[in-house]
Amino acid sequence: MKLFSFWRSLATFRVRIALNLKGLKPDEVIDVNLMQGKQREEAFAKVNPMKALPALILDDGTVLFESLAILEYLDETHPHPPLLPKEAKARARVRGLAQIIACDTHPLIVPRVREYLAHEFKVDEPGVLKWGHHWHSEALKALETNLSTSKDTGRFCQGDQITIADICLAGQAAGSSYFKVDLAPFPTVKRIVDTCMAMDEFARAHPLKQPGAPAAA
Ligand SMILES: N[C@@H](CCC(=O)N[C@@H](CS)C(=O)NCC(=O)O)C(=O)O
């Protein structure tokens, strides 16, 4: 397996956590520097025409893209420990929580969107930061409300089993510091994230633990 990665990529953080939880290690990790725009160069655009990380190349050459699709592939091919609950309603809730982050929020704050705001609409740096802060906070409000009021919330988002929702939540929290969002008003989110980040599989996948990362972001 080859993982196309960049230290700061939150979507790749999700895949790194899942690989760690499944006890898998890519044979090669290929750095695609998002800050230098390497994702738009031909070499990577051929791998993932969406020009976005992560991408995972399997041993038979199959290219997997989109972090949630990769998480479910890893779960289907390496079922232990499971990353989705068995019961249909619980699976729907877990996928819903994950999608609030991965589908409704994260796509609004990725480099290509921030750069488009800056270059096409001349939004200045504080304006772009405000944009990111806004969408990031909106998601956290929705997540906190759901997690703090649902009887299904336990040690983790869904009971006491780690799921793709926790993986996405860890990424959301890691992105919070970038957009200067304080997690204190979201105590249930913070509790679950702290529980996750105390685990080695999450901790060593963290963006700041990757090669090339600064001491603090
Ligand atoms: N929905 C995609 C998101 C992919 C994505 O946008 N990844 C970011 C890094 S976290 C990226 O590579 N962005 C490149 C860009 O925006 O130019 C997934 O979950 O994999």
Side-chain angles (χ1 to χ4, degrees):
M1 271 191 304
K2 289 183 195 171
L3 177 66
F4 289 81
S5 169
F6 184 57
W7 67 267
R8 204 167 81 169
S9 162
L10 298 177
T12 313
F13 180 28
R14 297 175 199 140
V15 171
R16 282 195 300 265
I17 297 168
L19 287 168
N20 290 346
L21 287 167
K22 300 290 185 182
L24 299 170
K25 192 173 177 331
D27 303 297
E28 201 182 338
V29 177
I30 301 161
D31 201 55
V32 180
N33 191 319
L34 297 181
M35 286 147 109
Q36 293 172 359
K38 297 282 184 200
Q39 73 276 27
R40 291 188 284 269
E41 291 185 2
E42 198 187 340
F44 182 68
K46 271 197 216 152
V47 175
N48 183 6
M50 192 55 192
K51 302 173 192 158
L53 294 170
L56 188 69
I57 304 195
L58 305 180
D59 291 346
D60 70 356
T62 304
V63 180
L64 302 184
F65 48 90
E66 288 290 331
S67 62
L68 289 184
I70 297 174
L71 296 193
E72 294 218 16
Y73 168 83
L74 292 173
D75 205 35
E76 285 161 13
T77 52
H78 299 80
H80 302 290
L83 298 179
L84 280 167
K86 284 205 168 58
E87 198 264 320
K89 277 185 267 184
R91 284 167 89 84
R93 176 169 181 260
V94 163
R95 286 188 170 121
L97 290 169
Q99 287 173 23
I100 286 177
I101 298 164
C103 305
D104 287 350
T105 310
H106 179 248
L108 294 167
I109 54 102
V110 288
R112 61 187 175 278
V113 170
R114 300 202 308 269
E115 285 163 22
Y116 197 75
L117 286 172
H119 299 151
E120 291 293 318
F121 296 103
K122 311 295 171 213
V123 180
D124 61 10
E125 211 179 312
V128 174
L129 198 66
K130 188 174 173 186
W131 166 276
H133 187 283
H134 172 77
W135 293 116
H136 213 80
S137 304
E138 288 298 297
L140 285 168
K141 280 183 218 162
L143 292 162
E144 179 62 30
T145 302
N146 186 305
L147 292 168
S148 64
T149 57
S150 170
K151 62 177 177 23
D152 293 334
T153 305
R155 192 160 169 250
F156 297 108
C157 290
Q158 180 71 27
D160 296 334
Q161 178 202 327
I162 290 173
T163 63
I164 61 170
D166 303 293
I167 293 176
C168 290
L169 199 67
Q172 178 78 13
S176 294
S177 61
Y178 183 82
F179 292 107
K180 317 252 181 285
V181 177
D182 181 9
L183 285 187
F186 312 106
T188 318
V189 169
K190 189 171 180 326
R191 172 184 64 74
I192 294 171
V193 169
D194 287 348
T195 307
C196 290
M197 292 314 299
M199 296 175 58
D200 176 63
E201 291 88 344
F202 281 76
R204 67 189 151 90
H206 193 276
L208 295 179
K209 293 277 169 57
Q210 307 314 307

